Amino acid sequence: MQDNREKCRELAARIYELDGEVYRCVGSSLGRTFTGNKETTIKSLAGMMYTRPQGHLLRSELALINNMARTIPDVKDRHRLLDEYAQILKEISELPDSFGTVDIIDEERARLNTANLHQKFSKDDRLIVCIGRSHGSAGNDIGFELAKALKINYYDAEIFTQVLERLEAENDSVNDALQHIDKYSSKRSWNLKKMFQEFNRYHGLPTQDAIFFNQSDLICSMAKKEDFVIMGRCADMILKNNHIPHISIFIDAPFELRVQRIMAVNNMKFKEAVHFLKKMDKRHARYYNFYTSEQWGKAVNYDLCINSASYGLEETVELIERMIAQKPKHKH
Amino acid sequence: MQDNREKCRELAARIYELDGEVYRCVGSSLGRTFTGNKETTIKSLAGMMYTRPQGHLLRSELALINNMARTIPDVKDRHRLLDEYAQILKEISELPDSFGTVDIIDEERARLNTANLHQKFSKDDRLIVCIGRSHGSAGNDIGFELAKALKINYYDAEIFTQVLERLEAENDSVNDALQHIDKYSSKRSWNLKKMFQEFNRYHGLPTQDAIFFNQSDLICSMAKKEDFVIMGRCADMILKNNHIPHISIFIDAPFELRVQRIMAVNNMKFKEAVHFLKKMDKRHARYYNFYTSEQWGKAVNYDLCINSASYGLEETVELIERMIAQKPKHKH
């Protein structure tokens, strides 16, 4: 303890000296950060470091000195003082409970986050990008283009419906006449067949729920087998609850911009588009809330929210690619 | 027009053929996407393309064929059919009003977005990263570390207060006795002096407002002169309203995680931390709303929102660096 107190005092004295040196080197038109009495200043800096090394104030004082040090005209002086600054910062960061040492990480969430570079993937882990989006934000187009760029599969509601219909048909036929090649199984069977022998187990639930639970099963099964981009379907929450790594992104754009886009895409009049979007937003929110008990579109429910209007379609895709920082697959 | 109709019909026929080929190559356990009558299917596909080439359904049908094509075991067949798929996609995208062609971009916003790669910077444009954050999300630490990584300046409320105090002192001394070297100007003057000859012009406003407007001026002036990371201060809205390029990021984390972190950082008890964070959130929201008339922390008010709990401090910094995709400066 005593050692630490002395270390703080030593660092405080060095910070005070650094400030003076920076002041001298910048030239007379710039003030010092510490204008008070030397002993008092060092004492208060040391106290700050000792009791609250993680505090705002210490970081700000240091940043201010650093900002000034960058403006030193003489290259040699500048390097020397920036080096001393970096060294002081390093030593402060080694103090117990220094600023920057209390992390914010949600271990469970980070472990599941496939954009987390430090995470060690097992060879069984897949790249799964869950995209939630508001209607009209071009989220669907962005997801489709992203899947294309990454050369991975793309799934949305329509595709799920088709896949599930085939599975149901397949399953019915399996139930009806094991292995019998009827008009369904030749035309509509599907190679995920084995996973869904139990497809009917939710029968008895309301249709909406049966669909949701079937989709959940399908998403979890696929997530163990292939890389893909998946649009909506509360896939983020489903994968989170099943502890399957993924990255969750929400794409949104200001309401006015979405209205403009829907007017162009759906050939709608202004009022019609406003009404339509409000209805769609409500429906999305209700669906998400019903199945996840969480608020749709609320930033902290996702790893990342992107304002597509700030980037446009193409740039948003590139931005996500850069973030994921995984080279496109070369399966093709 | 007639040409376009014929083009749609030709593409529809090729999609139908592709589906059949994919089906044949994948093997007998997989169904076709199109199970109906050939003529009817082609007609309906052509109609979709002609009247609604931007529609969901067309994209989903294509994605489904593509997803299946990827599973073709024979490499040569797979390449051939994926090439044909890419070619069809390309030709569809060349149709008028094809999907993906109606962008979502807010030209004004995109023009100001420094993370937008396509933007042509003039040599006068600076890298300015505005970071809003909820208290306890480690946003301040992230901003500080980001500035360090990018080797650019870091500004927060405390620094602004100091800088403004100096400027005020400087300005007073200028007003009091032009060029007279008094106890202030030698110790506290600042090289941004010339920009702030007019510092007093807001006197007469309530202090809070005077501070805000002085900060706004300072932010805009600096934004023309240097690269920096700036925490809060509604800097994003100030720069937007002044048409100065920047990137705006909001950092947030789930409430429970922020509570945990504040308990550790500020050595607070659970109840105290909850109370404190609620108070801080309200204060942030009120300040932002008062000066911008916008909702603090709402995703569409920023270019990007990051859930720091998904990444932790270090990864969040790296994520932002990757996104900005600008090499760190080598001023030092």
Side-chain angles (χ1 to χ4, degrees):
Chain A
M1 276 311 224
Q2 192 53 37
D3 273 357
N4 199 29
R5 203 182 284 266
E6 264 166 32
K7 180 73 193 165
C8 289
R9 176 147 179 113
E10 182 222 311
L11 280 168
R14 279 166 62 196
I15 293 170
Y16 186 85
E17 290 308 320
L18 178 67
D19 181 43
E21 275 277 278
V22 167
Y23 168 56
R24 197 181 57 73
C25 293
V26 168
S28 58
S29 78
L30 257 178
R32 290 187 64 139
T33 299
F34 306 119
T35 51
N37 170 277
K38 179 175 173 176
E39 269 317 299
T40 323
T41 305
I42 292 178
K43 213 166 155 182
S44 105
L45 274 173
M48 243 194 268
M49 260 181 278
Y50 192 66
T51 57
R52 282 266 184 114
Q54 77 286 44
H56 267 206
L57 221 54
L58 181 62
R59 185 179 45 214
S60 299
E61 302 281 23
L62 284 164
L64 193 47
I65 298 174
N66 182 44
N67 291 353
M68 283 196 285
R70 280 184 220 285
T71 68
I72 295 172
D74 184 84
V75 180
K76 252 175 104 177
D77 281 340
R78 188 165 72 236
H79 280 209
R80 182 171 55 85
L81 295 180
L82 284 174
D83 283 345
E84 168 66 359
Y85 170 81
Q87 183 57 34
I88 289 174
L89 212 60
K90 188 169 163 283
E91 290 176 37
I92 291 175
S93 77
E94 284 158 2
L95 292 175
D97 298 323
S98 183
F99 63 80
T101 54
V102 183
D103 208 336
I104 179 69
I105 205 155
D106 176 341
E107 292 294 347
E108 164 70 5
R109 186 152 191 154
R111 213 172 48 72
L112 295 183
N113 184 344
T114 47
N116 194 319
L117 282 183
H118 284 186
Q119 188 188 338
K120 300 283 167 288
F121 280 106
S122 81
K123 69 172 179 17
D124 297 327
D125 281 335
R126 301 297 177 173
L127 173 63
I128 295 156
V129 184
C130 303
I131 299 186
R133 78 292 184 200
S134 59
H135 208 85
S137 68
N140 281 330
D141 285 318
I142 290 164
F144 185 76
E145 293 297 323
L146 181 69
K148 195 167 109 184
L150 296 169
K151 293 188 178 164
I152 63 181
N153 286 344
Y154 167 89
Y155 292 103
D156 63 15
E158 285 84 8
I159 296 179
F160 270 112
T161 308
Q162 283 219 31
V163 170
L164 285 167
E165 271 172 13
R166 289 169 189 210
L167 287 169
E168 186 149 34
E170 164 74 1
N171 199 58
D172 284 352
S173 71
V174 168
N175 284 352
D176 287 356
L178 291 149
Q179 311 308 337
H180 174 67
I181 309 299
D182 67 359
K183 63 172 178 165
Y184 284 116
S185 64
S186 66
K187 278 189 181 168
R188 299 199 186 174
S189 61
W190 182 257
N191 68 356
L192 296 168
K193 166 175 151 179
K194 273 163 212 137
M195 306 177 205
F196 298 97
Q197 300 286 347
E198 290 180 284
F199 180 75
N200 278 325
R201 69 180 141 134
Y202 298 114
H203 281 183
L205 286 180
T207 316
Q208 169 90 344
D209 289 356
I211 292 172
F212 181 80
F213 288 114
N214 281 318
Q215 284 184 345
S216 304
D217 276 6
L218 185 54
I219 290 167
C220 293
S221 305
M222 292 189 322
K224 289 167 190 160
K225 308 212 147 211
E226 50 173 295
D227 300 341
F228 55 84
V229 169
I230 176 166
M231 308 304 302
R233 312 291 92 205
C234 306
D236 50 343
M237 286 295 173
I238 291 166
L239 293 170
K240 187 176 165 233
N241 294 339
N242 286 280
H243 311 286
I244 298 172
H246 63 283
I247 169 169
S248 74
I249 298 176
F250 189 77
I251 295 173
D252 202 358
F255 192 74
E256 320 79 68
L257 269 290
R258 296 197 281 132
V259 168
Q260 276 177 33
R261 185 164 177 278
I262 284 301
M263 286 167 71
V265 169
N266 291 0
N267 199 19
M268 280 180 177
K269 292 217 168 57
F270 177 74
K271 269 195 164 173
E272 199 185 355
V274 167
H275 181 77
F276 174 69
L277 278 184
K278 282 189 177 160
K279 201 180 72 188
M280 292 305 285
D281 282 358
K282 255 187 212 150
R283 189 182 295 174
H284 266 132
R286 210 162 40 217
Y287 182 85
Y288 194 84
N289 176 263
F290 184 80
Y291 288 111
T292 69
S293 305
E294 290 285 353
Q295 199 184 325
W296 177 72
K298 196 181 160 197
V300 289
N301 290 334
Y302 307 87
D303 296 328
L304 215 75
C305 296
I306 303 177
N307 184 344
S308 53
S310 290
Y311 298 92
L313 217 154
E314 208 179 314
E315 288 289 340
T316 303
V317 172
E318 281 178 24
L319 182 79
I320 298 172
E321 281 189 275
R322 285 207 301 278
M323 270 173 4
I324 295 176
Q326 291 200 293
K327 304 236 170 4
K329 310 264 163 159
H330 291 292
K331 281 181 182 168
H332 176 166
Chain B
M1 273 316 223
Q2 192 52 37
D3 272 359
N4 199 28
R5 204 183 283 265
E6 263 165 33
K7 180 73 193 167
C8 289
R9 178 148 175 114
E10 181 222 312
L11 280 167
R14 278 166 63 196
I15 294 170
Y16 186 86
E17 289 310 318
L18 179 66
D19 181 44
E21 275 277 275
V22 167
Y23 167 57
R24 195 181 57 75
C25 293
V26 168
S28 58
S29 78
L30 258 178
R32 291 188 63 139
T33 298
F34 306 119
T35 51
N37 171 277
K38 180 174 171 178
E39 269 317 299
T40 322
T41 306
I42 292 178
K43 211 167 158 182
S44 105
L45 272 175
M48 244 193 266
M49 261 182 277
Y50 191 66
T51 56
R52 284 267 183 113
Q54 77 286 44
H56 267 206
L57 220 54
L58 181 63
R59 185 178 46 213
S60 299
E61 302 281 24
L62 284 164
L64 192 48
I65 298 175
N66 182 45
N67 291 352
M68 283 196 285
R70 281 184 219 285
T71 67
I72 295 172
D74 184 84
V75 181
K76 250 174 105 178
D77 281 340
R78 189 166 71 239
H79 280 208
R80 181 171 55 84
L81 295 180
L82 284 174
D83 283 344
E84 167 67 359
Y85 170 80
Q87 184 57 36
I88 289 174
L89 213 59
K90 189 169 160 284
E91 290 177 37
I92 291 175
S93 76
E94 283 158 2
L95 292 176
D97 299 322
S98 183
F99 63 80
T101 55
V102 183
D103 208 337
I104 180 67
I105 205 154
D106 176 343
E107 291 295 346
E108 166 70 5
R109 186 152 193 155
R111 214 171 46 73
L112 296 181
N113 185 344
T114 47
N116 195 318
L117 281 183
H118 283 187
Q119 189 188 334
K120 299 285 168 285
F121 281 105
S122 81
K123 71 173 177 13
D124 297 327
D125 282 334
R126 302 297 177 173
L127 173 62
I128 295 157
V129 185
C130 304
I131 300 186
R133 79 289 184 203
S134 59
H135 208 86
S137 68
N140 282 330
D141 284 318
I142 289 163
F144 185 76
E145 293 297 323
L146 181 69
K148 196 167 109 186
L150 296 169
K151 296 191 177 160
I152 63 179
N153 286 344
Y154 167 89
Y155 293 102
D156 63 14
E158 286 83 9
I159 295 180
F160 269 112
T161 308
Q162 284 217 32
V163 169
L164 284 168
E165 272 172 13
R166 288 169 189 211
L167 286 170
E168 188 149 30
E170 164 74 2
N171 198 59
D172 285 350
S173 71
V174 168
N175 283 354
D176 289 354
L178 290 148
Q179 310 308 336
H180 174 67
I181 310 301
D182 67 0
K183 61 172 179 166
Y184 285 116
S185 64
S186 67
K187 278 187 180 168
R188 298 197 186 174
S189 61
W190 182 256
N191 67 358
L192 295 169
K193 169 172 149 180
K194 275 163 210 135
M195 305 174 205
F196 297 98
Q197 300 285 347
E198 289 181 283
F199 181 75
N200 278 325
R201 71 182 141 131
Y202 297 115
H203 283 186
L205 285 180
T207 315
Q208 169 91 343
D209 289 355
I211 292 174
F212 181 80
F213 287 115
N214 281 318
Q215 284 184 347
S216 304
D217 275 6
L218 185 54
I219 291 167
C220 292
S221 304
M222 293 189 322
K224 289 167 191 160
K225 307 212 149 211
E226 50 174 293
D227 300 342
F228 56 83
V229 169
I230 177 165
M231 308 304 302
R233 314 289 92 205
C234 304
D236 49 342
M237 285 295 173
I238 291 166
L239 293 171
K240 185 176 166 235
N241 293 338
N242 286 280
H243 310 288
I244 297 171
H246 63 282
I247 169 168
S248 73
I249 299 176
F250 189 77
I251 295 173
D252 201 358
F255 192 74
E256 320 80 68
L257 270 290
R258 297 196 282 132
V259 168
Q260 276 176 33
R261 185 164 178 277
I262 284 300
M263 287 168 71
V265 168
N266 291 0
N267 199 19
M268 279 180 178
K269 292 215 167 61
F270 177 74
K271 267 195 169 174
E272 200 186 355
V274 168
H275 181 75
F276 174 68
L277 278 184
K278 281 188 178 163
K279 201 181 71 188
M280 293 305 285
D281 282 357
K282 257 188 211 150
R283 189 180 294 174
H284 266 133
R286 211 162 38 217
Y287 182 85
Y288 194 85
N289 176 262
F290 185 78
Y291 289 111
T292 69
S293 306
E294 288 285 351
Q295 199 184 326
W296 177 72
K298 196 181 160 195
V300 288
N301 290 333
Y302 307 87
D303 296 328
L304 215 76
C305 296
I306 304 177
N307 184 344
S308 53
S310 291
Y311 298 93
L313 217 155
E314 208 179 313
E315 287 290 339
T316 303
V317 172
E318 282 178 23
L319 182 78
I320 298 173
E321 281 189 275
R322 285 206 301 277
M323 267 173 8
I324 295 177
Q326 291 200 292
K327 304 238 170 1
K329 309 266 162 158
H330 292 291
K331 282 183 183 167
H332 177 165

